[in-house]
Amino acid sequence: LYFKNRDDIVQRTADVAVSQLLETLETTLASPRPLPQQLRALIEAKLRFFDTHREFFRLYLSLSQGDADSPAQARRRHRPQYQLYLDRMTVFFREAGELEPLDPFRLARFVAEGINAIILWRLYEESPPPVESDVDWMVKMLLDGIKTKGRAS
C-alpha cells in the first residue's frame, strides 16, 4: 500500500469506514419492521457505529478543520452511496402508512441530518450519554414531537 501522506491515510481510512457505515444502514433499512422499530434500529446502528469509531472520527474532523475541501470531497466520493441510503429511507417513509401526510423525501433528509447532528455532539462530548438514551430521545422526538400534551397547535 502506498499513501502520499498522513492526510491521505486518514482520508482513505475514512472512505472505508463511511462505506461500511452505509452498507450497515442499507442492511438495516432492508429489514422490514414497523415504523418505531425501524427508526430505533436505524438511529441505533448509526450512533453505535460512530461510538465504536469515535476516536478516529474525532481525529478525522480535527484534521479536516483546516482543509475546507476535505469534507466536501468526502461527501462527493460517497454521494452515490449516501443518495441510495436516503432514497431507501424515503421509500420506507412513503410506505410506512403510520405517518401524518408528510413529504417522505424531506422527512428522510430531516431524520438523516438530525441523526448526524447528535453524532457530532456525541463525538465532542466528554462523556456522552449511553447510546440507548439518545436513541430513545430521538425516536420519541420523531414519533411524538415537541408539542406539550393537550395544547392545541
Side-chain angles (χ1 to χ4, degrees), residues 129-151:
V131 167
E132 296 80 14
S133 295
D134 277 339
V135 171
D136 289 345
W137 180 83
M138 290 186 75
V139 170
K140 182 173 178 20
M141 289 298 298
L142 290 167
L143 294 179
D144 299 338
I146 61 172
K147 183 179 167 187
T148 303
K149 292 180 183 179
R151 188 172 75 186

mmCIF file of all heavy atoms in Angstrom, residues 129-151:
data_model
loop_
_atom_site.group_PDB
_atom_site.id
_atom_site.type_symbol
_atom_site.label_atom_id
_atom_site.label_comp_id
_atom_site.label_asym_id
_atom_site.label_seq_id
_atom_site.Cartn_x
_atom_site.Cartn_y
_atom_site.Cartn_z
ATOM 1 N N PRO A 129 -23.980 10.577 26.802
ATOM 2 C CA PRO A 129 -24.896 9.636 27.461
ATOM 3 C C PRO A 129 -24.857 8.287 26.747
ATOM 4 O O PRO A 129 -24.367 8.190 25.617
ATOM 5 C CB PRO A 129 -26.270 10.310 27.305
ATOM 6 C CG PRO A 129 -26.113 11.290 26.203
ATOM 7 C CD PRO A 129 -24.672 11.680 26.151
ATOM 8 N N PRO A 130 -25.389 7.260 27.376
ATOM 9 C CA PRO A 130 -25.430 5.955 26.702
ATOM 10 C C PRO A 130 -26.175 6.069 25.368
ATOM 11 O O PRO A 130 -27.103 6.873 25.231
ATOM 12 C CB PRO A 130 -26.203 5.064 27.676
ATOM 13 C CG PRO A 130 -26.110 5.739 28.997
ATOM 14 C CD PRO A 130 -25.978 7.211 28.715
ATOM 15 N N VAL A 131 -25.758 5.281 24.399
ATOM 16 C CA VAL A 131 -26.393 5.294 23.081
ATOM 17 C C VAL A 131 -27.901 5.131 23.225
ATOM 18 O O VAL A 131 -28.680 5.833 22.576
ATOM 19 C CB VAL A 131 -25.793 4.185 22.180
ATOM 20 C CG1 VAL A 131 -26.633 3.973 20.931
ATOM 21 C CG2 VAL A 131 -24.360 4.517 21.801
ATOM 22 N N GLU A 132 -28.322 4.207 24.087
ATOM 23 C CA GLU A 132 -29.751 3.929 24.251
ATOM 24 C C GLU A 132 -30.530 5.186 24.645
ATOM 25 O O GLU A 132 -31.663 5.372 24.209
ATOM 26 C CB GLU A 132 -29.989 2.843 25.311
ATOM 27 C CG GLU A 132 -29.413 1.498 24.954
ATOM 28 C CD GLU A 132 -27.898 1.378 25.217
ATOM 29 O OE1 GLU A 132 -27.315 2.234 25.921
ATOM 30 O OE2 GLU A 132 -27.305 0.440 24.678
ATOM 31 N N SER A 133 -29.928 6.047 25.469
ATOM 32 C CA SER A 133 -30.603 7.284 25.894
ATOM 33 C C SER A 133 -30.851 8.202 24.707
ATOM 34 O O SER A 133 -31.947 8.750 24.563
ATOM 35 C CB SER A 133 -29.773 8.025 26.944
ATOM 36 O OG SER A 133 -29.670 7.275 28.111
ATOM 37 N N ASP A 134 -29.832 8.386 23.878
ATOM 38 C CA ASP A 134 -30.021 9.246 22.707
ATOM 39 C C ASP A 134 -30.962 8.607 21.695
ATOM 40 O O ASP A 134 -31.752 9.303 21.051
ATOM 41 C CB ASP A 134 -28.679 9.582 22.053
ATOM 42 C CG ASP A 134 -27.982 10.756 22.731
ATOM 43 O OD1 ASP A 134 -28.670 11.545 23.424
ATOM 44 O OD2 ASP A 134 -26.756 10.905 22.564
ATOM 45 N N VAL A 135 -30.911 7.295 21.548
ATOM 46 C CA VAL A 135 -31.830 6.610 20.630
ATOM 47 C C VAL A 135 -33.266 6.804 21.121
ATOM 48 O O VAL A 135 -34.144 7.202 20.346
ATOM 49 C CB VAL A 135 -31.493 5.108 20.500
ATOM 50 C CG1 VAL A 135 -32.580 4.374 19.722
ATOM 51 C CG2 VAL A 135 -30.136 4.914 19.829
ATOM 52 N N ASP A 136 -33.504 6.567 22.402
ATOM 53 C CA ASP A 136 -34.846 6.749 22.964
ATOM 54 C C ASP A 136 -35.327 8.181 22.751
ATOM 55 O O ASP A 136 -36.478 8.411 22.353
ATOM 56 C CB ASP A 136 -34.864 6.427 24.465
ATOM 57 C CG ASP A 136 -34.707 4.955 24.765
ATOM 58 O OD1 ASP A 136 -34.860 4.117 23.847
ATOM 59 O OD2 ASP A 136 -34.403 4.628 25.937
ATOM 60 N N TRP A 137 -34.458 9.147 23.028
ATOM 61 C CA TRP A 137 -34.817 10.561 22.895
ATOM 62 C C TRP A 137 -35.173 10.888 21.451
ATOM 63 O O TRP A 137 -36.208 11.522 21.184
ATOM 64 C CB TRP A 137 -33.652 11.437 23.383
ATOM 65 C CG TRP A 137 -33.952 12.890 23.272
ATOM 66 C CD1 TRP A 137 -34.656 13.649 24.161
ATOM 67 C CD2 TRP A 137 -33.576 13.753 22.199
ATOM 68 N NE1 TRP A 137 -34.735 14.938 23.701
ATOM 69 C CE2 TRP A 137 -34.084 15.029 22.500
ATOM 70 C CE3 TRP A 137 -32.865 13.570 21.020
ATOM 71 C CZ2 TRP A 137 -33.904 16.120 21.664
ATOM 72 C CZ3 TRP A 137 -32.683 14.659 20.175
ATOM 73 C CH2 TRP A 137 -33.191 15.920 20.497
ATOM 74 N N MET A 138 -34.354 10.443 20.506
ATOM 75 C CA MET A 138 -34.610 10.764 19.097
ATOM 76 C C MET A 138 -35.882 10.097 18.590
ATOM 77 O O MET A 138 -36.672 10.720 17.875
ATOM 78 C CB MET A 138 -33.416 10.386 18.235
ATOM 79 C CG MET A 138 -32.211 11.288 18.477
ATOM 80 S SD MET A 138 -30.872 10.953 17.340
ATOM 81 C CE MET A 138 -31.547 11.712 15.860
ATOM 82 N N VAL A 139 -36.094 8.845 18.938
ATOM 83 C CA VAL A 139 -37.309 8.150 18.499
ATOM 84 C C VAL A 139 -38.534 8.860 19.078
ATOM 85 O O VAL A 139 -39.519 9.096 18.370
ATOM 86 C CB VAL A 139 -37.273 6.658 18.894
ATOM 87 C CG1 VAL A 139 -38.633 5.996 18.663
ATOM 88 C CG2 VAL A 139 -36.188 5.935 18.103
ATOM 89 N N LYS A 140 -38.478 9.232 20.345
ATOM 90 C CA LYS A 140 -39.598 9.947 20.969
ATOM 91 C C LYS A 140 -39.852 11.282 20.272
ATOM 92 O O LYS A 140 -41.002 11.622 19.977
ATOM 93 C CB LYS A 140 -39.334 10.168 22.457
ATOM 94 C CG LYS A 140 -40.482 10.865 23.168
ATOM 95 C CD LYS A 140 -40.251 10.921 24.648
ATOM 96 C CE LYS A 140 -41.313 11.635 25.418
ATOM 97 N NZ LYS A 140 -42.595 11.808 24.839
ATOM 98 N N MET A 141 -38.793 12.025 19.985
ATOM 99 C CA MET A 141 -38.951 13.313 19.308
ATOM 100 C C MET A 141 -39.573 13.134 17.922
ATOM 101 O O MET A 141 -40.452 13.889 17.522
ATOM 102 C CB MET A 141 -37.596 14.021 19.169
ATOM 103 C CG MET A 141 -37.042 14.550 20.455
ATOM 104 S SD MET A 141 -38.100 15.796 21.220
ATOM 105 C CE MET A 141 -38.068 17.050 19.975
ATOM 106 N N LEU A 142 -39.113 12.125 17.195
ATOM 107 C CA LEU A 142 -39.625 11.914 15.841
ATOM 108 C C LEU A 142 -41.070 11.419 15.840
ATOM 109 O O LEU A 142 -41.869 11.823 14.990
ATOM 110 C CB LEU A 142 -38.727 10.940 15.080
ATOM 111 C CG LEU A 142 -37.362 11.508 14.712
ATOM 112 C CD1 LEU A 142 -36.421 10.396 14.253
ATOM 113 C CD2 LEU A 142 -37.496 12.579 13.636
ATOM 114 N N LEU A 143 -41.400 10.557 16.777
ATOM 115 C CA LEU A 143 -42.748 9.990 16.783
ATOM 116 C C LEU A 143 -43.758 10.851 17.532
ATOM 117 O O LEU A 143 -44.930 10.935 17.132
ATOM 118 C CB LEU A 143 -42.733 8.591 17.393
ATOM 119 C CG LEU A 143 -41.952 7.545 16.580
ATOM 120 C CD1 LEU A 143 -41.982 6.208 17.292
ATOM 121 C CD2 LEU A 143 -42.504 7.425 15.167
ATOM 122 N N ASP A 144 -43.324 11.520 18.611
ATOM 123 C CA ASP A 144 -44.257 12.301 19.427
ATOM 124 C C ASP A 144 -44.125 13.811 19.241
ATOM 125 O O ASP A 144 -45.003 14.560 19.653
ATOM 126 C CB ASP A 144 -44.059 11.974 20.914
ATOM 127 C CG ASP A 144 -44.330 10.519 21.223
ATOM 128 O OD1 ASP A 144 -45.049 9.856 20.443
ATOM 129 O OD2 ASP A 144 -43.800 10.019 22.237
ATOM 130 N N GLY A 145 -43.016 14.260 18.700
ATOM 131 C CA GLY A 145 -42.791 15.695 18.509
ATOM 132 C C GLY A 145 -42.492 16.409 19.819
ATOM 133 O O GLY A 145 -42.245 15.789 20.844
ATOM 134 N N ILE A 146 -42.545 17.722 19.755
ATOM 135 C CA ILE A 146 -42.218 18.526 20.934
ATOM 136 C C ILE A 146 -43.448 19.183 21.540
ATOM 137 O O ILE A 146 -43.347 19.925 22.508
ATOM 138 C CB ILE A 146 -41.154 19.598 20.607
ATOM 139 C CG1 ILE A 146 -41.659 20.557 19.528
ATOM 140 C CG2 ILE A 146 -39.853 18.949 20.183
ATOM 141 C CD1 ILE A 146 -40.750 21.740 19.296
ATOM 142 N N LYS A 147 -44.596 18.905 21.000
ATOM 143 C CA LYS A 147 -45.837 19.510 21.464
ATOM 144 C C LYS A 147 -46.146 19.071 22.885
ATOM 145 O O LYS A 147 -46.037 17.900 23.237
ATOM 146 C CB LYS A 147 -46.973 19.109 20.527
ATOM 147 C CG LYS A 147 -48.287 19.715 20.860
ATOM 148 C CD LYS A 147 -49.320 19.262 19.836
ATOM 149 C CE LYS A 147 -50.691 19.607 20.325
ATOM 150 N NZ LYS A 147 -51.710 19.053 19.463
ATOM 151 N N THR A 148 -46.558 20.011 23.709
ATOM 152 C CA THR A 148 -46.995 19.714 25.066
ATOM 153 C C THR A 148 -48.352 19.033 24.982
ATOM 154 O O THR A 148 -49.220 19.481 24.229
ATOM 155 C CB THR A 148 -47.097 21.010 25.903
ATOM 156 O OG1 THR A 148 -45.839 21.662 25.886
ATOM 157 C CG2 THR A 148 -47.504 20.712 27.322
ATOM 158 N N LYS A 149 -48.538 17.999 25.768
ATOM 159 C CA LYS A 149 -49.812 17.259 25.740
ATOM 160 C C LYS A 149 -50.985 18.193 26.023
ATOM 161 O O LYS A 149 -50.929 19.019 26.920
ATOM 162 C CB LYS A 149 -49.783 16.131 26.765
ATOM 163 C CG LYS A 149 -48.806 15.048 26.395
ATOM 164 C CD LYS A 149 -48.814 13.948 27.436
ATOM 165 C CE LYS A 149 -47.770 12.919 27.049
ATOM 166 N NZ LYS A 149 -47.677 11.844 27.997
ATOM 167 N N GLY A 150 -52.020 18.022 25.225
ATOM 168 C CA GLY A 150 -53.249 18.773 25.438
ATOM 169 C C GLY A 150 -53.248 20.177 24.870
ATOM 170 O O GLY A 150 -54.267 20.852 24.879
ATOM 171 N N ARG A 151 -52.129 20.661 24.391
ATOM 172 C CA ARG A 151 -52.054 22.030 23.859
ATOM 173 C C ARG A 151 -52.475 22.010 22.396
ATOM 174 O O ARG A 151 -51.979 21.196 21.614
ATOM 175 C CB ARG A 151 -50.636 22.569 24.011
ATOM 176 C CG ARG A 151 -50.518 24.036 23.662
ATOM 177 C CD ARG A 151 -49.172 24.572 23.997
ATOM 178 N NE ARG A 151 -48.220 24.079 22.979
ATOM 179 C CZ ARG A 151 -46.924 24.251 23.022
ATOM 180 N NH1 ARG A 151 -46.403 24.894 24.037
ATOM 181 N NH2 ARG A 151 -46.142 23.807 22.086
#
